[in-house]
């Protein structure tokens, strides 16, 4: 099972507009958003694939107040390994190098390498 990454979101409901919509997007990605005790702090728990999906979904929206959540998620996700990049390509076989660079936040060389590995592997 993939390791969960926990991201602390202080004062989540006070900082975002349209909270129900962002909660629905988080839930649709498979991630879990939970309140920490009775405080105003929230915790987002997800694996790296769910975070990648969530990043892609949040980038499609134009809600300005969600950008700090997007920034925290990108910082916490970190860089994808070569194996994770190849898995991402295998789930999206028609993905271009540019799309992979934007989606995975990797270099052009890493994206080309992952696509080459996917295309040359024996099924």
């Amino acid at each position: 099972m993939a390791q969960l990454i926990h991201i602390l979101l202080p004062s989540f409901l006070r900082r975002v507009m349209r909270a129900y919509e962002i909660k629905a997007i988080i839930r649709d990605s498979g991630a879990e958003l939970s309140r920490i005790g009775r405080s105003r702090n929230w915790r987002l728990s997800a694996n790296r694939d769910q975070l990648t999906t969530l990043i892609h979904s949040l980038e499609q929206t134009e809600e300005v107040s969600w950008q700090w959540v997007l920034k925290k998620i990108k910082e916490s996700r970190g860089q994808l390994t070569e194996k994770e990049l190849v898995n991402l390509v295998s789930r999206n076989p028609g993905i271009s190098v540019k799309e992979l660079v934007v989606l995975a936040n990797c270099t052009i060389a890493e994206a080309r390498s992952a696509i080459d590995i996917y295309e040359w592997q024996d099924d």
Side-chain angles (χ1 to χ4, degrees):
M1 173 140 182
Q3 183 180 8
L4 286 180
I5 298 170
H6 302 286
I7 304 168
L8 183 64
L9 300 172
S11 301
F12 174 72
L13 290 179
R14 292 177 184 243
R15 296 176 85 176
V16 297
M17 301 298 292
R18 300 177 8 213
Y20 286 108
E21 290 180 43
I22 192 169
K23 284 180 180 180
I25 291 171
I26 291 170
R27 192 173 35 254
D28 290 344
S29 72
E32 181 181 322
L33 182 67
S34 58
R35 189 171 171 189
I36 300 174
R38 295 177 62 189
S39 70
R40 44 174 112 149
N41 299 329
W42 290 69
R43 178 181 327 146
L44 177 67
S45 301
N47 61 33
R48 289 171 72 110
D49 291 335
Q50 292 168 338
L51 290 179
T52 302
T53 304
L54 191 54
I55 288 169
H56 183 67
S57 298
L58 290 176
E59 285 177 339
Q60 302 301 317
T61 65
E62 295 186 16
E63 179 60 49
V64 178
S65 68
W66 296 356
Q67 295 305 308
W68 75 274
V69 176
L70 184 61
K71 181 180 175 189
K72 283 201 156 273
I73 293 170
K74 284 182 177 180
E75 289 171 356
S76 298
R77 182 187 65 176
Q79 292 296 101
L80 298 176
T81 64
E82 185 177 87
K83 184 177 179 182
E84 291 170 326
L85 285 172
V86 173
N87 287 337
L88 190 60
V89 172
S90 67
R91 288 192 309 252
N92 304 313
I95 195 167
S96 69
V97 173
K98 183 178 179 181
E99 291 171 333
L100 186 58
V101 167
V102 170
L103 184 62
N105 193 25
C106 63
T107 64
I108 293 173
E110 291 170 335
R112 286 182 179 161
S113 175
I115 291 172
D116 288 344
I117 290 170
Y118 170 74
E119 288 177 349
W120 287 97
Q121 71 185 2
D122 293 329
D123 290 327

